[in-house]
Amino acid sequence: MYEQEKIKPYDSKGDKGKQVEEMFDSIAPTYDQLNHRLSWNIDKGWRLKAIQTLSAYKPQEILDVATGTGDFAILAAQMLRPARLTGADISEGMMQIGRKKVKALSLDDTITFAKEDCMNLSFADNTFDAVTAAFGIRNFPDLDKGLAEMCRVLKPGGHLCVIELTQPAKNPMKTLFNIYSHTVLPTWGRLISKDDKAYSYLTATIEAFPQGEKMMSILQRAGFSETSFQRLTFGICTLYLATK
């Protein structure tokens, strides 16, 4: 078990998957606002960079895991022009907001949403040309199982693209990030979302989540090859690319 899997939003004895669902349902109305504010809108550039890495492969069938309110799915649909893009998430509250955004942008012919347990996806083997995940896999109750499922539904030769928040490895950014993540982030999160624990949980999982070379080894054990990673914005975010 990885360290971040032991961290739960509310009750240390409860089921992590159910607590994560409850947490994201709770913060859904303010999630987009907080995401952009807490990252100073840099998160938009991270998504753009991730999608650009997939552009050369021209994926037509895409699965966006832990899709949340659909920001990554929407940008991917606009930039990559796939035939179909499915956003999967455990939180219905988050996806309800995503559906409204997709409809407003007239992308509902391309993007659909599905309530899914990412530990046990309902899709058939070898279905998608690309599988993506933005800021979601560190919430998996079982990282190995979740990544293995993402590999299973990906076609041979298909690509996995993940961006995840990570703790910078070097000072002074490491120290600055620690101060920010333990003071500003949970305080703003608590004031705006009205959830006392959600953003403290998110900070704790960032610090505990495996990154860099360790994460590449985990991806390889899950069935991926040609793994690579790139640190973005001094290591606050890391982009992973892998092939099945």
Side-chain angles (χ1 to χ4, degrees):
M1 175 178 280
Y2 304 108
E3 286 303 310
Q4 83 283 353
E5 295 174 359
K6 303 174 185 177
I7 303 169
K8 301 175 182 178
Y10 302 120
D11 179 3
S12 62
K13 296 181 180 179
D15 178 80
K16 178 166 182 172
K18 292 180 179 177
Q19 289 189 39
V20 168
E21 178 181 3
E22 178 186 347
M23 179 190 72
F24 280 111
D25 282 344
S26 170
I27 66 176
T30 57
Y31 181 79
D32 285 339
Q33 176 189 358
L34 273 167
N35 241 12
H36 303 322
R37 179 178 293 187
L38 291 173
S39 72
W40 303 88
N41 281 317
I42 301 172
D43 63 306
K44 297 177 181 179
W46 296 334
R47 291 187 185 89
L48 179 64
K49 177 70 174 179
I51 293 167
Q52 286 172 338
T53 65
L54 290 175
S55 61
Y57 307 116
K58 298 179 172 56
Q60 291 302 296
E61 300 279 350
I62 301 175
L63 173 65
D64 185 39
V65 170
T67 194
T69 62
D71 274 0
F72 194 92
I74 289 168
L75 190 59
Q78 291 172 331
M79 292 180 61
L80 300 176
R81 305 285 184 180
R84 280 172 293 276
L85 193 156
T86 303
D89 203 286
I90 197 171
S91 169
E92 187 61 42
M94 296 283 276
M95 289 189 294
Q96 285 177 0
I97 293 170
R99 290 186 185 100
K100 291 177 182 177
K101 293 196 290 188
V102 165
K103 187 173 182 179
L105 293 167
S106 300
L107 289 170
D108 37 345
D109 285 341
T110 302
I111 301 175
T112 58
F113 291 88
K115 184 175 171 62
E116 291 278 341
D117 177 359
C118 295
M119 304 301 99
N120 187 26
L121 294 167
S122 66
F123 309 105
D125 295 359
N126 309 321
T127 297
F128 300 97
D129 301 307
V131 176
T132 61
F135 316 122
I137 65 171
R138 75 180 189 282
N139 298 308
F140 284 0
D142 186 331
L143 179 61
D144 288 332
K145 190 173 182 180
L147 290 173
E149 276 293 275
M150 294 163 80
C151 186
R152 179 185 65 80
V153 302
L154 191 61
K155 294 176 183 177
H159 295 87
L160 173 75
C161 181
V162 171
I163 47 173
E164 190 54 83
L165 295 171
T166 46
Q167 187 176 42
K170 297 180 180 180
N171 281 319
M173 184 55 71
K174 181 177 181 179
T175 298
L176 292 171
F177 180 78
N178 283 340
I179 294 170
Y180 182 79
S181 63
H182 284 275
T183 56
V184 177
L185 194 153
T187 300
W188 279 8
R190 183 169 56 251
L191 289 173
I192 295 174
S193 73
K194 309 303 180 185
D195 189 310
D196 289 339
K197 296 184 177 180
Y199 284 85
S200 295
Y201 158 81
L202 293 173
T203 294
T205 57
I206 293 169
E207 294 175 347
F209 191 72
Q211 57 182 310
E213 289 83 359
K214 185 174 182 180
M215 185 62 187
M216 286 202 299
S217 296
I218 293 170
L219 287 168
Q220 289 163 8
R221 288 200 301 271
F224 294 99
S225 63
E226 300 177 30
T227 57
S228 64
F229 74 95
Q230 180 180 357
R231 300 188 193 277
L232 307 176
T233 316
F234 306 103
I236 296 173
C237 178
T238 303
L239 165 63
Y240 299 93
L241 188 66
T243 305
K244 179 175 176 177

